[in-house]
Amino acid sequence: MSFARPDLLWLALALPAVVAAGVYGYVRRRRRVARLLGEAHLVRRLGAGDLARFPTHRLVLVALAALSLGIAAAGPQWGFRTVETRTRSRDLVLALDVSKSMLAEDVTPDRLERERLFARRLFRELGGDRIGLVAFAGRAYVLSPLTVDHGALQLYLDALDPEIVSQGGSSLAAALSQATDLVRGEPEAPRTDRAIILVTDGEALEDEGAVIEAAQRAAAAGVVVHTVGIGTAEGAPVPETDPVTQRIQGYKRDPTTGEIVVSRRNDALLARVARETGGRYIRLDRAGATDALVAALSGMDRTEATGGRRVEPRERFAWFVAAALALLALDAVLERRHGAARREHRAAAAELQEA
């Protein structure tokens, strides 16, 4: 047996002690009254002889009832039950760019770390919402399905690295398609509780038409895409790091010209993707960017969904409350019988006196 409120177990000792003190004080007052009435043998003849008797049965019953109530207050538990939870939430997919351009240091400390900080803040602000994770570079991968377990999502964030995606580059179309399929689920009537949050520098190696087509597919499925631009318009070179030490060994160069590649944030493309789906484009380097996104998401509807099953201990306090009530009822019945017996004794004594 366990207790939901073990800090209240002291009541199981305190309540019987209080009851015992109360009964003892009650008996002392009765005995004092009996002495004031006169001689003991006269009091017994008058039918009030039990005033000096100690009510042991009553003390036991009431003390046990108090003990039961004290245990009930501590929330006794034993056994387990499976509970299916229902929640009201929004369905969101966070699509995170993990291409090598996210290692650029035009924001402090670099784009990838800034992306992690943004995602963690978003998890704190969206507690209770179901969130899925998609990581993408040249291809897109589902890291986590929709879940309310944001603690597990934090673990995926810690593991974000360009090496987790085998294909280099940056495919926004693949990210949007994968995220749309994840957040949409089974085809059904359009809903207003689903959205994609695309966090990227906006550099796409594919044709921009493919990106817009993927955005239009999301819009047709009733999914809003909010885009979050990370980096700067001026850009920064993409570092090449040692896979073991993670130290910068140089910078990525164009294989044709040999010049250092500079990665720049593509505001125009990201703004158009958001516009095509009815979402908002937010630049992460601006103050209040996360607050602006949360405000945009707050306008979405919440729908009821199954939050999953959990095993929890069974509450058993009702048994102890019932036991306390039964003991008090038994005490009342016995007291009524004793009262009836006293009345009969007094009536018999009165008849003897008249005779």
Side-chain angles (χ1 to χ4, degrees):
M1 182 169 63
S2 60
F3 296 92
R5 292 292 306 276
D7 55 306
L8 294 180
L9 273 174
W10 62 272
L11 290 173
L13 297 176
L15 292 180
V18 171
V19 166
V23 171
Y24 179 71
Y26 169 69
V27 170
R28 288 189 62 185
R29 286 194 300 273
R30 289 206 326 173
R31 287 176 174 175
R32 187 165 56 248
V33 169
R35 287 195 298 270
L36 293 175
L37 288 176
E39 297 293 332
H41 67 279
L42 293 175
V43 172
R44 283 195 295 271
R45 291 185 62 184
L46 291 173
D50 63 342
L51 288 177
R53 179 180 57 84
F54 190 87
T56 304
H57 74 279
R58 189 163 209 186
L59 173 62
V60 171
L61 291 175
V62 179
L64 287 176
L67 174 65
S68 296
L69 290 176
I71 295 175
Q77 302 170 327
W78 65 81
F80 296 93
R81 62 176 180 171
T82 301
V83 179
E84 186 175 274
T85 59
R86 306 290 296 181
T87 60
R88 293 188 61 82
S89 65
R90 296 168 289 220
D91 289 347
L92 309 171
V93 169
L94 196 57
L96 302 175
D97 191 343
V98 293
S99 62
K100 289 188 176 181
S101 65
M102 297 300 287
L103 299 177
E105 298 177 343
D106 51 351
V107 293
T108 304
D110 58 40
R111 295 178 184 178
L112 185 60
E113 187 58 33
R114 183 65 68 88
E115 185 177 51
R116 287 196 187 98
L117 294 173
F118 167 75
R120 291 190 184 103
R121 166 83 186 280
L122 210 57
F123 292 156
R124 291 196 299 269
E125 296 288 346
L126 301 175
D129 288 330
R130 299 201 309 162
I131 300 178
L133 277 184
V134 170
F136 71 94
R139 297 179 61 184
Y141 297 91
V142 175
L143 295 182
S144 170
L146 295 170
T147 178
V148 294
D149 186 359
H150 295 179
L153 298 179
Q154 296 275 7
L155 299 178
Y156 287 110
L157 279 183
D158 295 338
L160 284 182
D161 186 87
E163 299 302 323
I164 68 174
V165 180
S166 58
Q167 185 173 334
S170 185
S171 176
L172 300 186
L176 287 171
S177 296
Q178 190 72 267
T180 299
D181 292 339
L182 179 58
V183 76
R184 182 182 61 177
E186 296 295 327
E188 56 184 23
R191 290 164 29 196
T192 58
D193 63 335
R194 300 174 295 184
I196 295 170
I197 304 165
L198 180 66
V199 187
T200 177
D201 52 26
E203 284 197 326
L205 299 184
E206 68 231 314
D207 181 67
E208 289 192 4
V211 179
I212 300 305
E213 184 179 341
Q216 291 171 344
R217 176 173 174 267
V223 178
V224 175
V225 179
H226 300 287
T227 53
V228 179
I230 188 167
T232 61
E234 296 77 18
V238 178
E240 296 281 4
T241 59
D242 183 277
V244 178
T245 64
Q246 299 300 315
R247 292 183 179 179
I248 297 176
Q249 295 180 322
Y251 294 93
K252 186 177 180 180
R253 293 180 178 271
D254 189 305
T256 305
T257 64
E259 294 181 355
I260 293 177
V261 175
V262 176
S263 173
R264 297 180 175 85
R265 189 183 63 222
N266 191 339
D267 293 324
L269 177 59
L270 294 177
R272 186 177 176 189
V273 168
R275 188 166 57 250
E276 289 285 345
T277 62
R280 291 187 60 179
Y281 171 51
I282 296 167
R283 284 172 43 184
L284 201 55
D285 59 347
R286 287 184 173 174
T290 307
D291 293 333
L293 178 60
V294 171
L297 294 173
S298 65
M300 297 169 54
D301 293 333
R302 292 178 183 266
T303 57
E304 188 173 271
T306 300
R309 294 184 177 182
R310 70 174 188 273
V311 176
E312 62 180 27
R314 289 182 178 273
E315 299 284 350
R316 304 292 187 175
F317 68 89
W319 291 97
F320 292 90
V321 173
L325 293 177
L327 289 167
L328 292 175
L330 178 60
D331 174 67
V333 170
L334 294 177
E335 188 62 23
R336 176 174 292 184
R337 287 182 178 178
H338 289 153
R342 286 195 298 269
R343 287 192 295 273
E344 290 178 2
H345 185 76
R346 284 196 296 268
E351 289 178 359
L352 288 174
Q353 287 178 350
E354 290 177 358

